[in-house]
Amino acid sequence: MTRSEDFDFVRDGTSILNVINDVIGNPQAFVPLHEPEFSPSSWDMVKDCLDSGWVSSIGKYVDRFENDIAEACSTSQAVAVVNGTAALQVALMVCGVQPNDEVIIPSLTFVATANAVVHAGAVPHFVDSNQNNFGLAVEALQSHLNTIAERRGEETYNQITGRRISAIVPMHVFGHPVDMDPLLALAKDYGLSVVEDAAEALGSTYKGRACGSLGQMGVLSFNGNKILTTGGGGALVTNDPNLAKRAKHLTTTAKVSHRWAFEHDAVAFNYRMPNLNAALGCSQLQELNNRINQKRQLAQSYAQAFAHLEGVEFIQEPPNCQSNYWLNTLRLKTDNPSQREHLLGLLNDHQIMARPVWTLLHRLPMFANCPKSECTVAEKLEMQLINIPSSAHLAGDLHPSRIQTLDLSSN
Ligand SMILES: *Cc1c(COP(=O)(O)O)cnc(C)c1O
């Protein structure tokens, strides 16, 4: 149990501020949570795209970007789209989610996960989070389904609402992989599709396999605050060519391929990623390995520095996983929200951007009436987690004494 007395704001707050400043080399200006970074090739590729005149919905960079994403995620297929939310909506649709179905998602996620479910015509069904990796709590979901779900042939229904449950969306929180094997087994038992919300987890691996490649489909985001950015953008990845083909069709106005005729065979979307954004994406993907190494170095450095503090725990990657450490995270040994607010105030007053985790989605007014399980772990995490500066370039400013002690060989 964490008790509020374990966290002393004056003692621990000041130590936390000092540790962060020490790790990132006592910066003189405001430090954002996560900044985009561009290499010289970004200028070259974006300029090449402008010079070619092909900035919009047709061009070579979209195809190249899709190939590069598939390679980065070890999938055979990728479809680039306008943002991660649109990617998730379409992934759910092509994976068989029908209007009025329920889709199981964690309550502790960014609002886009739930919005995409609603955009697909379905209803979010919120479940609890795992205490260690903050992702969907698989065992708790198992017992929740035992209580409320009923198998009818190949399908699963919620006995309370009468609606079909058709999919699960695990989300890899801050880049830390969900324990996917038990989740995939559970989904199989209940005949549910698995669409990974890997928006935060590009480059993270679970048992050596890329996040995004583990379910029927995975979804990425290239928003400005993610590990790589295309300005705005997203992608669907999968090993199933039919799902990819359907996703491509639905995101490009369902136009039937023809040299000149405008034939369309479904009501669809204009969600294709513009060539200009894809050009930026191609240059960013070249940086991925380097970026992840830097972010892992920064995390390692925080982990060592925070190991000696009492009121706080620095969150490290789950066993058998490699995390991209998208956002570095502290768990405070208090669940008293006013202590957390004090700490956030102190850090931000001292030019260190820090922020709490998302408000649990089942509490937001538009989702208040959605079905849900008990969310006791998530409710506690909501009070305890804060994110601290995580930009890859901060690793370049690491205090010299720390660089020598880095142990990059640890899992
Ligand atoms: C960023 C994010 C998204 C959505 O991405 P956009 O590109 O901003 O639409 C979805 N889910 C999670 C968990 C995210 O962090």
Side-chain angles (χ1 to χ4, degrees), residues 83-85 109-110 112-113 171 197 199-200 221 223 226 233:
N83 58 53
T85 312
T109 180
F110 179 53
T113 316
M171 195 281 268
D197 183 343
E200 305 181 354
S221 166
N223 192 34
K226 297 300 200 295

Side-chain angles (χ1 to χ4, degrees), residues 147 200 214:
T147 318
E200 305 181 354
L214 302 156

